[in-house]
Amino acid sequence: MAGEALIELRGVNKYYGKLHVLQGIDLTVGRGEVVVVIGPSGSGKSTLCRTINRLETIESGTITLDGTPLPEEGRALAGLRAEVGMVFQSFNLFAHKTVLDNITLAPVKVRKQKKGAAARRARELLDRVGLAAHADKYPAQLSGGQQQRVAIARALAMDPKALLFDEPTSALDPEMINEVLEVMQQLARDGMTMVVVTHEMGFARSAANRVVFMADGRIVEDRTPEDFFTAPRSERARDFLSKIL
Ligand code: ADP
Ligand code: MG
């Protein structure tokens, strides 16, 4: 399944003051792969996502995106960062902009797309996430599940090489979780490269090529879902699974 590496972390260390939050992380995500990241609260999953996108600096190690090392800062970083979309727990839509404007904003400003072309593409993406009828609404007029699907469409509008999801369904009422997971499943089937932090083990089982289990800033296991769920090797993973399954 794993083709060439699209995202590659080698020996990545990050500190918050004295807290060694990422401890020598080695992680490769192949093109078209879906990697689900799980682990206890505070284990560094969100920091890992933010690090992959250089929203956080690192103290040592390398992060490579599609063969290009991610620079620390500057214009080159902004360009590379735009190639990895991010979807957060809390949607982060602009409340005072319509759904359509939320989606076209970055393509027009950052990618210099023409407004008409960006709007046409936004409508296609809204159709893809099942929200074709909602283009002119404001975020507050939508349910949480609908808002999160807009956030996914917004990320897709930048034509990213990969998408990072940080607990995309954790803030949703239970009846809205599946509509978001279904969109993510479809993206996975379409070949999108995805790193997904989630507690939805059904999604991990059905969509992930690999499950990465983190604890205390380290990757403790990195295996196929089948191997991981049927026979977790580490005590930490067994303990974690016994609490959530
Ligand atoms: P997870 O997403 O797995 O719950 P996080 O990556 O959010 O874990 O956090 C890992 C550790 O880093 C936690 O101990 C958290 O308190 C700490 N941490 C996260 N963000 C910051 C920050 N901006 N400053 C200081 N400590 C932080
Ligand atoms: Mg987190």
Side-chain angles (χ1 to χ4, degrees), residues 5 11 26 32 36 41 57 60-61 70 85 106 111 121 137 149 161 165 183 194 198 202-203 212 214 236:
D26 292 313
V36 163
S41 178
T57 57
S60 65
L70 273 181
R111 294 268 200 246
R121 170 97 169 109
K137 292 191 177 164
R149 285 185 282 148
K161 288 182 174 167
F165 294 84
V183 167
M194 296 164 45
T198 186
F203 177 84
V212 165
M214 284 186 77
R236 291 298 298 266

Side-chain angles (χ1 to χ4, degrees), residues 133-203:
H134 301 276
D136 300 319
K137 292 191 177 164
Y138 286 85
Q141 295 173 284
L142 303 180
S143 72
Q146 289 171 327
Q147 288 187 56
Q148 191 61 301
R149 285 185 282 148
V150 173
I152 294 172
R154 181 175 61 172
L156 290 171
M158 292 292 278
D159 287 321
K161 288 182 174 167
L163 283 180
L164 309 177
F165 294 84
D166 190 2
E167 302 204 25
T169 60
S170 295
L172 299 178
D173 291 334
E175 73 272 21
M176 294 171 188
I177 290 175
N178 276 337
E179 67 192 49
V180 173
L181 292 179
E182 273 162 25
V183 167
M184 292 167 61
Q185 293 268 16
Q186 189 57 49
L187 288 174
R189 282 194 289 271
D190 292 346
M192 177 59 75
T193 306
M194 296 164 45
V195 175
V196 183
V197 179
T198 186
H199 299 297
E200 294 295 329
M201 295 301 122
F203 177 84

Side-chain angles (χ1 to χ4, degrees), residues 3-72:
E4 75 235 72
L6 185 61
I7 301 169
E8 193 155 31
L9 285 77
R10 285 289 162 260
V12 169
N13 284 287
K14 173 166 184 67
Y15 292 82
Y16 286 122
K18 284 188 176 156
L19 178 66
H20 194 175
V21 60
L22 295 179
Q23 305 189 17
I25 298 287
D26 292 313
L27 177 67
T28 303
V29 183
R31 198 181 298 280
E33 248 191 329
V34 177
V35 173
V36 163
V37 179
I38 64 174
S41 178
S43 56
K45 306 180 299 296
S46 294
T47 306
L48 178 69
C49 283
R50 296 171 58 78
T51 297
I52 290 174
N53 227 11
R54 277 286 157 97
L55 294 167
E56 301 281 356
T57 57
I58 56 175
E59 272 63 53
S60 65
T62 57
I63 304 169
T64 313
L65 178 65
D66 209 5
T68 306
L70 273 181
E72 300 266 335

Side-chain angles (χ1 to χ4, degrees), residues 82-112:
E83 296 186 346
V84 179
M86 221 167 145
V87 175
F88 302 90
Q89 182 174 332
S90 53
F91 328 141
N92 295 1
L93 298 176
F94 297 108
H96 59 289
K97 289 190 184 296
T98 65
V99 164
L100 195 82
D101 289 344
N102 264 279
I103 298 173
T104 57
L105 186 71
V108 169
K109 282 216 163 156
V110 181
R111 294 268 200 246
K112 310 294 178 203

